[in-house]
Amino acid sequence: MRVAGLLTAKALANVKAAIKPGVTTLELDQIAEKTIREGGGIPNFQLVPGYFHTICASINSEVVHGIPSNKVLQAGDLISIDCGAEVDGWNGDSAFSMVVPGLENDLTAQRQKQSDVCEGSVWAGIAALSKAKRLNEVGAAIEEFILDRGNYGILEQYVGHGIGRSMHEDPAVFNYKVRDQGPKIEPGLCIAIEPMTTSGDQRTFVDSDDWTVVTKDGGDGAHWEHSVAFHDKGIWVLTAIDGGLEGLKPFGVTPVPLS
């Protein structure tokens, strides 16, 4: 899974480097697919029935599951890219958001802050996993981090998941506090933690393409995700090049490499 996670991270890094005004999301999709296939992997999004692309590309009010197309990116857009790779039957899954460079105003500052808060909440959740006894402590940590930093909506209908031989497995990983404590955390657990936030109300609808999730009030969406392994010596972020060292540093957590 570490190999699949690193290949996923490489694909996302190549996509991120290509994001600029004038680029289409279909071009970004092609970059991700080329990276994964040249690295000996399979784009696991293409293994989902009815989906034919390597990434999901969601812009502004599109929160998640946006389909790559000939739509051209504009300076100041808030774009979220979700991607996964399968290598030798094992899966990686990760996502990031960013503001398309080239424009600075109040709106782009708000979008950057929303992305930063969403990213920080992923690391808050991962840090909580390192010390938690029950899985739903992760969601409580994510919610607390987000709400302490603004009046953002947290999608409730879409949550994280287990990951391994399949991209989506049990258990569900909530991004908010729930009454039930959830399953006990034990070595061998691998999960994808992926909070999705909105700049306003968290209610969404699925667009006419049957995939793209859009905010009902037209607010912006942000989405960050990492695949994480919990093992007998600690945690390791499978989709981070450094295993999560920099992201976890503010939380006083040091990831431990897989042996």
Side-chain angles (χ1 to χ4, degrees), residues 72-128:
V72 175
L73 294 183
Q74 305 293 325
D77 281 341
L78 176 55
I79 183 168
S80 299
I81 304 290
D82 194 359
C83 182
E86 182 180 293
V87 181
D88 295 331
W90 296 100
N91 287 267
D93 190 8
S94 187
F96 72 88
S97 295
M98 67 174 285
V99 177
V100 178
L103 181 66
E104 294 185 10
N105 55 28
D106 288 345
L107 178 59
T108 58
Q110 292 168 12
R111 286 174 168 170
Q112 186 61 58
K113 181 184 176 183
Q114 182 181 347
S115 177
D116 291 345
V117 170
C118 190
E119 180 183 13
S121 76
V122 170
W123 294 110
I126 295 170

Side-chain angles (χ1 to χ4, degrees):
M1 285 191 67
R2 180 61 172 151
V3 175
L6 287 173
L7 188 55
T8 300
K10 183 177 181 180
L12 285 173
N14 288 347
V15 168
K16 187 173 185 178
I19 291 176
K20 61 182 180 181
V23 170
T24 70
T25 53
L26 193 57
E27 289 174 318
L28 299 177
D29 184 73
Q30 293 165 350
I31 290 170
E33 179 168 8
K34 184 174 186 290
T35 302
I36 290 171
R37 293 198 183 278
E38 288 184 349
I42 300 170
N44 54 16
F45 284 22
Q46 294 185 16
L47 302 178
V48 177
Y51 200 79
F52 306 104
H53 297 279
T54 299
I55 65 171
C56 292
S58 308
I59 303 171
N60 299 334
S61 62
E62 301 167 352
V63 188
V64 68
H65 299 164
I67 300 176
S69 69
N70 289 318
K71 186 172 183 179
V72 175
L73 294 183
Q74 305 293 325
D77 281 341
L78 176 55
I79 183 168
S80 299
I81 304 290
D82 194 359
C83 182
E86 182 180 293
V87 181
D88 295 331
W90 296 100
N91 287 267
D93 190 8
S94 187
F96 72 88
S97 295
M98 67 174 285
V99 177
V100 178
L103 181 66
E104 294 185 10
N105 55 28
D106 288 345
L107 178 59
T108 58
Q110 292 168 12
R111 286 174 168 170
Q112 186 61 58
K113 181 184 176 183
Q114 182 181 347
S115 177
D116 291 345
V117 170
C118 190
E119 180 183 13
S121 76
V122 170
W123 294 110
I126 295 170
L129 176 69
S130 72
K131 305 171 184 178
K133 301 297 183 183
R134 297 282 181 173
L135 184 58
N136 289 346
E137 294 176 50
V138 171
I142 290 172
E143 179 181 41
E144 180 180 0
F145 185 95
I146 292 171
L147 296 186
D148 279 351
R149 288 159 177 80
N151 189 29
Y152 298 106
I154 303 172
L155 264 65
E156 297 179 358
Q157 191 173 355
Y158 302 91
V159 298
H161 50 88
I163 187 169
R165 285 293 189 179
S166 300
M167 181 170 57
H168 294 110
E169 299 180 350
D170 290 333
V173 183
F174 297 103
N175 300 311
Y176 46 89
K177 187 176 181 179
V178 295
R179 184 183 299 273
D180 182 71
Q181 292 184 332
K184 185 179 179 181
I185 295 174
E186 296 180 342
L189 176 70
C190 291
I191 57 173
I193 300 175
E194 55 174 326
M196 289 154 267
T197 67
T198 62
S199 61
D201 192 275
Q202 64 94 13
R203 291 178 296 176
T204 59
F205 67 93
V206 178
D207 206 357
S208 58
D209 61 17
D210 293 329
W211 286 100
T212 309
V213 177
V214 185
T215 59
K216 285 189 174 182
D217 64 2
D220 292 320
H223 176 203
W224 282 82
E225 176 182 18
H226 274 299
S227 300
V228 188
F230 184 91
H231 57 100
D232 56 0
K233 295 180 180 179
I235 61 168
W236 190 254
V237 183
L238 299 163
T239 48
I241 300 299
D242 64 355
L245 184 65
E246 286 302 313
L248 289 168
K249 189 179 295 184
F251 300 92
V253 174
T254 302
V256 181
L258 297 164
S259 57

